[in-house]
Amino acid sequence: MNDLANRVETLHRLLNQYNHEYYVMDNPSVPDSEYDKLLHELIHIEEEHPEFKTEDSPTVRVGGEAQATFNKVRHDTPMLSLANAFNEEDLRRFDARVREHAGKVEYMCELKIDGLAVSLKYENGRFVQGLTRGDGTIGEDITENLRTIRAIPLKIKKPLTFEVRGEAFMPKASFERLNKEKEEAGEQAFANPRNAAAGSLRQLDSKLAAKRRLSIFLYSVNDFTNFHATSQSEALDELDELGFKTNQNRKRESDIEGVLEYIKYWTEKRQDLSYDIDGIVIKVNDLEEQDELGYTQKSPRWAIAYKFPAEEVVTTLHDIELSVGRTGVVTPTAVLEPVRVAGTTVSRASLHNEDLIHEKDIRIGDSVVIKKAGDIIPEVVRSLPDRRPEGTETYHMPTHCPSCGHELVRLDGEIALRCINPKCPAQLVEGMIHFVSRQAMNIDGLGTKLIMQLYDNEIIKDVADLYYLTKDDLLPLERMGEKKADNLLNAIEASKENSFEHLLFGLGIRHLGVKASQVIAERFDNMERLFEVTEEELLEIHDIGDKLATSLITYLNNEDIIALIDKLRAKNVNMKYKGIRTSEIESDSEFNGLTVVLTGKLHNMTRTEASKWLEAQGAKTTSSVTKKTDLVIAGEDAGSKLTKAEKLGTEIWSEADFIQKQNEVDQ
Ligand code: IVH
């Protein structure tokens, strides 16, 4: 038995080594066949002796049991995105802002990999959980699929507990192979490697994901406690040493001119890469300077993403279709001869409104130039009047709603035409689509088509009806099976537990966005209280303006709305705020307002627990020691941050000091 244990250990070691050589270093020392042979030996041993099967065994690379759904998990810290730059001017403006706040800085230039952001958690050096970005706050647990990505180490060289983030992607070669297979099997091919990667990571059966040959580049460390790095470039080097795959085409540049050179180089060379990139990410290299620059609501001020210019192509405009949105706005959409642009086939594009159509002189039958704004949203740039066929006419919007026939109006100062019939079917359906969307009630599996089917068959008339759906309602629908129906009903049931702000946002009240929903839910706690609120009370809140206050009060006084809320309440849809309250911060705590750095290994709590406790006391935790740091809490092996704190004369506590203080405060 002991021999077998030794053999298993040897197999783990060799397989991990060969894997790292092949997938991370691109430098294999043995042929593939050797890897496969050893892997099969290990699979065989594990089958015979299941006690040797472990979570980090190299055999998990082939995938495991299929799952029913992905669990939703809250990120320890939100996964933000980057602000975009589209030209040299945007970049120079970014540079000027950075220099204004942080002086002259060094930049780290990295390729912007066109894949999906994921977060990987390691505990004591072992890969334990991997999440998608999701809405930035809550992601999905796709650990099983990520384990099959060979470039992700299941075990790293040090027993660290931390989180890394990076971009999972499908290399061009894997993509071509996959699409060829799909075509041969008569299946729909993927539009581009990014979609293929997304589709693969959303496979509930990780055995299928394993076949997709995805890869990853890690680009950030979420928690520097156990790192020595003082800059992004050192952090990436440290990730390399631990066994992670980082992109080696990164380069430090001492100023914006260097950054522009780097961009120019990769704009020309990007075709030669074995994976897709959609731009260049520019980051302030020094971590202290990053801290000084800080964050806006959505993105760091210390980084920007330069997006490559959009590809332009010419196609024909066959027709202009009209759609009615949630708020009754009627939008014209261009129906185009399908054409490939920036990796996908485009057949429709929004024309926004009549004024724009006239400005661009666009007529049905025209040849038009299209591109994808930000490489995502198709847009008609202009028409080519020189190529215009005979008999075309200037386009005019209709006078009546294409959905319900009600007369359309232009509200004061608006360009848009609106249908103001509250019972307009198109608006109701759009409202339901909004209700189930991710930032609202986040109900998976309820797409536009299904909502339209339910509405057209008179199974649902309003959003509350969703909570009255039964399996018998669903099963007769097109393309609906037992399993799909169960999943959908479960997702609907689960959404009842959402915190109040989700419902509030989901109701689609005019001018009420995600942020204001959050503020209002936190301030007034529940629906009963909200019904009593006055316009004056609302206006006292910093983020709330006249338009929103009026719109909210009008909404809450509407009889139909009161009935709708009652209907939701009858099904126990939660109407109470469940998030953290800013007011719960202990404002008289001695930690209030302090900037604290946690470094080194803590033994009695995790770093997240420590930061959460500090944040509840009103302190801010940051990752690097600067002049602005008030306190450093140093665990075991604290390293360079401790040295720095000593040099700056910052107050330093041991974990024991910290626990003692916590006990005093918590009493
Ligand atoms: S840094 C705060 N570095 O681009 C976000 N992002 O919005 C820090 N991406 O969501 C991201 N390559 O998915 C960073 N080298 C790179 C990247 C990269 C691709 C993606 C990432 C992010 C999006 C920017």
Side-chain angles (χ1 to χ4, degrees):
M1 200 61 182
N2 219 346
D3 283 352
L4 200 53
N6 280 336
R7 183 61 188 157
V8 167
E9 205 186 304
T10 308
L11 288 170
H12 275 212
R13 182 171 52 76
L14 288 176
L15 285 165
N16 284 337
Q17 179 195 329
Y18 296 156
N19 197 62
H20 183 258
E21 286 169 359
Y22 189 100
Y23 291 99
V24 180
M25 308 307 288
D26 290 327
N27 185 19
S29 65
V30 294
D32 261 11
S33 56
E34 181 62 15
Y35 180 91
D36 288 343
K37 200 176 95 198
L38 298 181
L39 185 65
H40 282 113
E41 185 185 340
L42 184 58
I43 292 176
H44 182 71
I45 297 178
E46 288 180 1
E47 274 167 7
E48 301 280 304
H49 305 275
E51 67 274 21
F52 285 121
K53 222 172 150 63
T54 58
E55 288 249 298
D56 62 355
S57 163
T59 57
V60 302
R61 302 290 195 190
V62 297
E65 302 272 302
Q67 288 169 265
T69 51
F70 296 116
N71 286 332
K72 296 207 157 92
V73 180
R74 181 175 286 271
H75 292 294
D76 284 344
T77 56
M79 285 184 83
L80 303 175
S81 54
L82 297 174
N84 290 325
F86 295 101
N87 49 42
E88 185 177 326
E89 195 188 329
D90 292 346
L91 289 162
R92 288 194 185 278
R93 211 175 302 128
F94 165 74
D95 176 53
R97 220 176 327 116
V98 165
R99 281 187 293 122
E100 190 184 317
H101 290 96
K104 186 168 163 39
V105 301
E106 181 179 61
Y107 290 114
M108 181 65 171
C109 298
E110 294 171 27
L111 302 184
K112 185 169 185 301
I113 314 299
D114 196 7
L116 290 106
V118 294
S119 114
L120 312 178
K121 276 195 188 163
Y122 286 78
E123 270 172 28
N124 300 318
R126 283 166 207 274
F127 174 54
V128 291
Q129 190 178 56
L131 307 177
T132 61
R133 178 173 184 277
D135 64 2
T137 308
I138 294 176
E140 284 184 319
D141 185 333
I142 52 162
T143 314
E144 294 312 315
N145 287 339
L146 289 171
R147 280 192 211 284
T148 69
I149 299 184
R150 304 243 168 138
I152 295 183
L154 300 170
K155 201 173 144 197
I156 52 171
K157 299 220 172 88
K158 287 187 193 165
L160 301 181
T161 297
F162 74 126
E163 182 186 340
V164 270
R165 290 176 178 176
E167 196 85 352
F169 64 95
M170 185 175 280
K172 287 178 189 168
S174 309
F175 171 70
E176 272 153 29
R177 197 190 66 169
L178 172 65
N179 262 0
K180 206 159 151 221
E181 279 169 16
K182 288 214 155 249
E183 271 156 27
E184 276 164 14
E187 293 170 25
Q188 176 91 35
F190 281 109
N192 54 45
R194 203 195 111 80
N195 287 4
S200 307
L201 288 176
R202 290 202 52 82
Q203 287 286 349
L204 288 165
D205 182 353
S206 56
K207 285 204 173 61
L208 290 177
K211 298 207 175 92
R212 293 290 176 79
R213 307 284 157 108
L214 301 181
S215 190
I216 193 166
F217 286 121
L218 283 315
Y219 52 65
S220 75
V221 178
N222 198 29
D223 169 355
F224 281 95
T225 317
N226 295 305
F227 274 66
H228 303 293
T230 62
S231 64
Q232 167 72 2
S233 63
E234 286 173 11
L236 293 175
D237 293 345
E238 232 170 310
L239 287 177
D240 283 339
E241 281 159 29
L242 288 169
F244 289 103
K245 183 165 177 134
T246 65
N247 191 286
Q248 300 299 316
N249 295 317
R250 58 182 180 259
K251 193 160 174 249
R252 287 181 295 162
E253 296 289 354
S254 58
D255 57 19
I256 194 72
E257 305 307 327
V259 170
L260 295 170
E261 282 291 310
Y262 179 91
I263 290 177
K264 185 161 174 270
Y265 179 84
W266 283 108
T267 304
E268 283 157 20
K269 279 270 189 248
R270 62 190 274 217
Q271 314 306 346
D272 303 342
L273 291 166
S274 62
Y275 44 87
D276 276 349
I277 60 173
D278 59 344
I280 303 293
V281 179
I282 301 116
K283 305 175 183 174
V284 168
N285 194 27
D286 189 277
L287 297 181
E288 252 176 51
E289 289 164 355
Q290 288 188 0
D291 268 356
E292 260 163 49
L293 286 155
Y295 295 81
T296 66
Q297 278 287 333
K298 281 188 281 180
S299 51
R301 289 202 188 83
W302 45 263
I304 197 157
Y306 168 78
K307 300 294 261 313
F308 291 129
E311 179 192 348
E312 293 194 341
V313 297
V314 174
T315 188
T316 311
L317 174 67
H318 289 312
D319 197 5
I320 295 180
E321 269 181 20
L322 299 161
S323 62
V324 187
R326 169 166 70 86
T327 57
V329 175
V330 179
T331 320
T333 301
V335 179
L336 304 160
E337 175 63 31
V339 62
R340 272 190 84 76
V341 49
T344 64
T345 302
V346 169
S347 54
R348 304 170 70 80
S350 172
L351 291 167
H352 305 290
N353 57 59
E354 187 169 12
D355 290 5
L356 271 181
I357 297 177
H358 293 166
E359 226 168 78
K360 294 180 180 175
D361 188 19
I362 293 167
R363 300 184 186 187
I364 295 172
D366 269 351
S367 289
V368 289
V369 175
I370 66 164
K371 70 168 187 189
K372 283 206 215 138
D375 257 1
I376 301 177
I377 304 158
E379 176 187 317
V380 178
V381 186
R382 59 181 173 277
S383 68
L384 300 173
D386 296 348
R387 298 214 211 164
R388 184 165 282 161
E390 272 178 31
T392 64
E393 286 165 23
T394 307
Y395 180 77
H396 291 291
M397 290 284 276
T399 51
H400 291 76
C401 175
S403 172
C404 69
H406 197 281
E407 193 174 351
L408 298 176
V409 295
R410 263 189 187 206
L411 297 184
D412 284 349
E414 285 191 352
I415 299 166
L417 274 178
R418 261 178 216 279
C419 168
I420 49 167
N421 170 13
K423 300 235 150 51
C424 168
Q427 286 180 57
L428 294 174
V429 167
E430 289 299 323
M432 293 183 203
I433 294 168
H434 170 76
F435 184 80
V436 304
S437 67
R438 206 151 60 167
Q439 289 181 303
M441 295 302 269
N442 196 10
I443 302 176
D444 268 354
L446 249 185
T448 307
K449 281 212 182 99
L450 190 50
I451 290 181
M452 278 166 78
Q453 269 191 72
L454 290 167
Y455 185 85
D456 290 344
N457 288 312
E458 295 182 15
I459 302 171
I460 54 172
K461 291 201 178 65
D462 59 38
V463 293
D465 287 334
L466 289 173
Y467 295 96
Y468 292 76
L469 281 177
T470 63
K471 210 159 161 181
D472 291 342
D473 290 329
L474 295 173
L475 286 176
L477 298 175
E478 256 174 59
R479 282 198 229 133
M480 178 65 65
E482 284 271 340
K483 197 162 167 201
K484 199 166 158 192
D486 283 336
N487 285 344
L488 184 57
L489 291 172
N490 286 338
I492 293 174
E493 189 64 26
S495 76
K496 288 182 182 175
E497 300 305 320
N498 287 340
S499 182
F500 184 31
E501 65 277 19
H502 288 272
L503 175 63
L504 205 51
F505 176 62
L507 290 171
I509 303 168
R510 276 189 77 192
H511 305 297
L512 182 63
V514 177
K515 184 151 177 256
S517 304
Q518 164 72 33
V519 172
I520 291 174
E522 182 182 336
R523 178 72 159 252
F524 300 109
D525 186 71
N526 60 63
M527 189 65 99
E528 285 66 35
R529 173 75 185 89
L530 193 61
F531 270 114
E532 294 164 358
V533 143
T534 62
E535 200 157 333
E536 291 69 41
E537 263 182 288
L538 284 170
L539 288 170
E540 277 167 22
I541 303 174
H542 179 65
D543 297 303
I544 295 180
D546 290 350
K547 273 192 189 166
L548 171 53
T550 314
S551 149
L552 186 58
I553 297 288
T554 316
Y555 183 88
L556 293 169
N557 281 310
N558 181 319
E559 298 269 317
D560 292 340
I561 300 301
I562 296 170
L564 179 77
I565 305 285
D566 283 343
K567 201 163 147 189
L568 286 164
R569 192 182 288 113
K571 281 290 176 184
N572 296 323
V573 174
N574 173 56
M575 301 189 184
K576 196 168 159 44
Y577 183 64
K578 294 181 171 180
I580 302 176
R581 262 163 227 289
T582 330
S583 60
E584 274 169 16
I585 290 177
E586 305 277 343
S587 56
D588 55 352
S589 160
E590 62 181 283
F591 289 92
N592 191 17
L594 296 190
T595 302
V596 184
V597 172
L598 289 156
T599 180
K601 187 163 171 46
L602 300 177
H603 290 285
N604 293 289
M605 65 195 99
T606 65
R607 188 191 132 87
T608 315
E609 283 163 356
S611 331
K612 284 220 173 99
W613 188 89
L614 285 163
E615 275 155 24
Q617 303 292 318
K620 189 174 90 180
T621 53
T622 59
S623 55
S624 60
V625 178
T626 71
K627 294 182 287 288
K628 289 188 195 147
T629 310
D630 297 298
L631 172 65
V632 171
I633 298 171
E636 201 175 80
D637 293 331
S640 66
K641 286 179 204 174
L642 178 59
T643 325
K644 176 108 194 258
E646 283 164 350
K647 212 164 80 195
L648 288 171
T650 317
E651 181 159 354
I652 300 166
W653 292 1
S654 66
E655 184 178 357
D657 296 335
F658 180 48
I659 291 173
Q660 196 184 345
K661 252 307 184 268
Q662 275 186 316
N663 290 338
E664 284 168 22
V665 171
D666 287 343
Q667 260 172 15

